[in-house]
Each structure stands twice: as C-alpha cells, then as structure tokens.
Amino acid sequence: MTNPSESHIGQVVVDEYLDLVERALIACGAPRSERTQVMQDLESQIAEMLAVEPQPLTEESVRAVIARLEPPAQFAATYVNGTNEKPRSELPARRWRTPSVSWAFVAAVSCWMIPIGALLILMSGNSGNDRGLLMLLLLMVVAGILFGPFALVRAVREVQSSALGASRRDMVMISAMIYCMVVPVLLLVFAISVAEEGALVALGVVAFIYFQYLFVRRVHGYITRVAPPREPSLPLTGGVCAPNGT
Amino acid sequence: MPNSVDIDQWTTQLRKGLGELCVLAAVERLGEAYGYQLVQFLAEHDGLQLTESTVYPLLARLAHEGCLSVISKPSPSGPPRRYYRLTSTGKKSLEAMLRSWQVVGGSIHRIVHPNGSKETRT
C-alpha cells in the first residue's frame, strides 16, 4: 500500500469480499465450523495473491486481485448442488431452515391459554354460565399446563439451532416467563382449595413467591444461556439458495 | 428433430460426484498441502474446473468427516496457512472411490469397446 489510507481502503475491499462470501455461506446453511475453515483458506489465498503483486499495493491492484476471484455466490453453490458451475440466478429460490411448525408460536399459544383460560373460568364462574363452557375452559387450561413445557422445550431448541430472529426468541422467553409465573399460582390455588385448610396459607404464599422468583430466574438464565440474543441479520445481496450439504 | 444431450449439463453432473475424489487424490499426491496450493494444483489439470469456491468447501467438509487432518502453520504472506493431510479414514475413502471409479470406467469401456479394441468410435 502506498500510505496508511490506501492500505486501509485495500483492506476494506478484501473485507467486503470476505463478508459477502460468508453471508452467502450462511444463507445456504453451511455449518459454522466448515464456514470458518472456508473463510480462513480464502483469506490465506487472498494474502498469497496480494503478496505476488507489485509492491506497494494500491486500491486498484487489490480490486484487480479480488476481481480474479469467483463471485461470492459461487461458494454457496457448492453447498447447493456440489459444484460451482451454476450461476446464482439459476439457484433454487430461498429456502431457509425454518421448520414448518414454529414451536415458538405453539409455545406462546400454549402458555397464553393458561392465564386466559383461568381468567375466563373466573368470569364464567362469577356470571354463572353453563357447565359445558366451564369444562371447555378448564380443558384449555389443563392442556396449556401439560403441553406448555413440551412446546417450550421444542421452541428453545428451535431458537438455539436455527437462525430465527430476535422477536422469536423474545416470544419464547415471554412464554416461558408466563408459564413459570402463572402455573405455580394456579397449582397453589388448586392445592388450597382442595386442602380447605388455610392455617399455613400466609407462610406458604411467602415461601411460594420466593421459590417462584428462583424458578423464573433459573428458567430465564437457562434460555439466555442456550439461546443468547442474536444480532440483527444482515441484508443479503440477491437471491440465495437452499442447504444441501453436497 | 430430437434434442441432443446437453453436454454441459452432463459434464457438470459428472464433475459433481468427482470433486471429493479429485481433492483427496490431490492431497495424497502432494502429501501435505494448503488450500491455495491445492487449488493451483487442480487448476493445472484440464477439465476438472475445480476452483476455490468448490475446493475450500470440500476441504472443510472432508476435514469435518475425518478424511483430512488440518495443521496451521505460519505463512510469510499473511494469515497462517492451513495444511491438509490425508488421514487413514481419508486413505480408505480414496481407495474405495478409486475402486468404484475403475469399476465404472471399466464397464463403460467394455460397453463401448466390446471386442477389447482401444479405438475410439467415430
């Protein structure tokens, strides 16, 4: 490079190219470990190509070297069809790894069913509605309590393993919090109503609130650990491709 | 008039399955080689058309599958080079691929030249 500014511009050109290749590989579902290796090999190649260029390097010479490399989308083509010969325009339409059933939504529905059902039961009981509706609402709450953990576990795995956005993760987190807060309350109310003994209720409630706090913190910590917040995804240039794994 | 076979497409399909064989064979030939060295080596052989966009993902996958071992060594030109070497698993895979290749090639040869003639059909 002729001067620090020129050197910086040349590095920017290289970084732009490498970023585009990495984005193309991410979009195609290339595994992270393989992606890292590809990027290291490619970066090493660019360094070697630049090393044999007349020194000092200029921005133009760096651009000329980058122009000799293949378009970033070609790297993704290997993961699509095992060869680099198909141009990007001929690649299949975008097909993310997003599962057909979104467990984040299922978990949200399951968890929200519980407080909504309980509230409706309360309103229905006060207004003296028919027994059929009451049973239906009770079924809704029980279904939410039983199915909620299963849906939450699947949702957490979904967030953990796929490139879902931050909104989905937040949805799973909120659903988990609702479940953790509402279900113990309902179970406590149920236990009190069945026992019909209120002598230790006050002490029980205090202990309950403490344990519930610990429970919520533990679940929140677990989800944060296994599915940390993601940075917003970068926009892609042009159509992308489907994972295949040659 | 019937459509002729799309030779380009056919060639693409043929190469598609041969990438791993070529990369493993190239690593075996060179003993130990880094990515760009393999790309340059393969580029010297006509018809393969194995460029960096094909070779690097294949190297990464073959390393992931245990067919290649990887060692990083410092490079005079910048970032460290990653040297690939064939593992015992890789050697077995390469041998199996070459056996299949020979069987297929032999069968095609016997179909095209049923009398053992080495002449090329016109």
Side-chain angles (χ1 to χ4, degrees), chain B residues 4 21 38 41 43 45 47 52 61 66 77-78 104 109-110:
Chain B
S4 60
L21 170 59
L38 284 164
F41 177 77
H45 297 80
E52 64 265 15
R61 191 157 57 78
S77 57
V104 171
H109 189 266
R110 282 191 294 278

Side-chain angles (χ1 to χ4, degrees), chain A residues 33-34 37-38 40-45 47-49 51 69-70 74-75 78-79 81-85 245-246, chain B residues 12 15-16 34-36 49 51-54 56-57 59-61 63-64 70 75 77-82 84:
Chain A
S33 57
E34 293 183 18
Q37 290 187 38
V38 170
Q40 286 174 349
D41 283 338
L42 187 58
E43 195 174 356
S44 174
Q45 173 177 344
E48 296 229 0
M49 291 170 78
L69 296 166
E70 291 174 279
Q74 292 293 95
F75 287 82
T78 301
Y79 284 93
N81 54 19
T83 180
N84 63 347
E85 297 195 3
T246 58
Chain B
T12 300
R15 287 191 194 119
K16 184 176 169 180
Y34 56 93
Y36 187 39
Q49 291 191 5
T51 51
E52 64 265 15
S53 69
T54 307
Y56 294 157
L59 285 171
R61 191 157 57 78
H64 181 71
V70 190
S75 161
S77 57
R81 289 173 179 161
R82 294 160 44 78
Y84 295 90

Side-chain angles (χ1 to χ4, degrees), chain A residues 23-234:
Chain A
R23 278 188 224 172
L25 291 173
I26 289 170
C28 287
R32 174 188 280 271
S33 57
E34 293 183 18
R35 209 169 64 223
T36 308
Q37 290 187 38
V38 170
M39 298 311 296
Q40 286 174 349
D41 283 338
L42 187 58
E43 195 174 356
S44 174
Q45 173 177 344
I46 293 171
E48 296 229 0
M49 291 170 78
L50 291 172
V52 297
E53 287 291 307
Q55 302 292 329
L57 292 169
T58 62
E59 186 190 345
E60 286 69 35
S61 62
V62 175
R63 285 197 186 280
V65 165
I66 295 297
R68 295 214 304 269
L69 296 166
E70 291 174 279
Q74 292 293 95
F75 287 82
T78 301
Y79 284 93
V80 177
N81 54 19
T83 180
N84 63 347
E85 297 195 3
K86 279 216 167 191
R88 192 184 188 95
S89 58
E90 291 179 25
L91 296 176
R94 179 181 295 194
R95 189 154 55 92
W96 292 92
R97 276 185 176 177
T98 308
S100 54
V101 177
S102 172
W103 285 102
F105 281 111
V106 174
V109 170
S110 302
C111 294
W112 276 105
M113 268 169 36
I114 304 165
I116 291 171
L119 201 66
L120 289 174
I121 287 171
L122 201 66
M123 289 164 63
S124 168
N126 287 341
S127 60
N129 278 346
D130 61 284
R131 193 176 173 80
L133 179 65
L134 210 62
M135 289 305 291
L136 193 67
L137 292 172
L138 194 63
L139 192 68
M140 186 172 129
V141 173
V142 171
I145 291 172
L146 295 178
F147 190 67
F150 173 73
L152 279 170
V153 168
R154 297 298 298 262
V156 169
R157 283 183 190 163
E158 183 184 294
V159 171
Q160 197 178 0
S161 63
S162 63
L164 296 179
S167 60
R168 291 276 184 91
R169 181 191 170 279
D170 292 345
M171 185 190 289
V172 175
M173 181 70 88
I174 291 167
S175 304
M177 293 304 103
I178 287 169
Y179 187 91
C180 294
M181 286 188 286
V182 174
V183 171
V185 172
L186 290 178
L187 291 177
L188 183 74
V189 169
F190 178 74
I192 290 170
S193 64
V194 168
E196 291 180 353
E197 291 175 8
L200 298 173
V201 167
L203 188 62
V205 167
V206 172
F208 162 76
I209 289 170
Y210 176 68
F211 282 118
Q212 193 186 36
Y213 167 73
L214 292 180
F215 184 41
V216 168
R217 273 196 62 177
R218 197 175 180 84
V219 171
H220 186 280
Y222 171 74
I223 295 178
T224 306
R225 194 173 67 252
V226 299
R230 295 175 189 279
E231 291 179 7
S233 57
L234 296 163

Side-chain angles (χ1 to χ4, degrees), chain B residues 82-121:
Chain B
R82 294 160 44 78
Y83 283 82
Y84 295 90
R85 186 186 278 271
L86 217 56
T87 62
S88 57
T89 308
K91 281 179 186 162
K92 284 176 191 165
S93 300
L94 177 60
E95 284 164 9
M97 285 178 192
L98 287 173
R99 274 198 301 274
S100 298
W101 173 248
Q102 282 162 0
V103 169
V104 171
S107 297
I108 291 170
H109 189 266
R110 282 191 294 278
I111 292 169
V112 178
H113 305 289
N115 300 324
S117 163
K118 289 183 179 177
E119 291 173 9
T120 309
R121 288 182 70 181

Side-chain angles (χ1 to χ4, degrees), chain B residues 23-75:
Chain B
V23 168
L24 288 176
V27 175
E28 192 201 34
R29 171 62 66 88
L30 296 172
E32 188 180 65
Y34 56 93
Y36 187 39
Q37 190 181 358
L38 284 164
V39 169
Q40 288 176 312
F41 177 77
L42 290 164
E44 292 169 3
H45 297 80
D46 291 336
L48 295 180
Q49 291 191 5
L50 286 167
T51 51
E52 64 265 15
S53 69
T54 307
V55 173
Y56 294 157
L58 280 176
L59 285 171
R61 191 157 57 78
L62 288 167
H64 181 71
E65 289 170 357
C67 292
L68 298 173
S69 61
V70 190
I71 301 171
S72 285
K73 292 181 183 175
S75 161

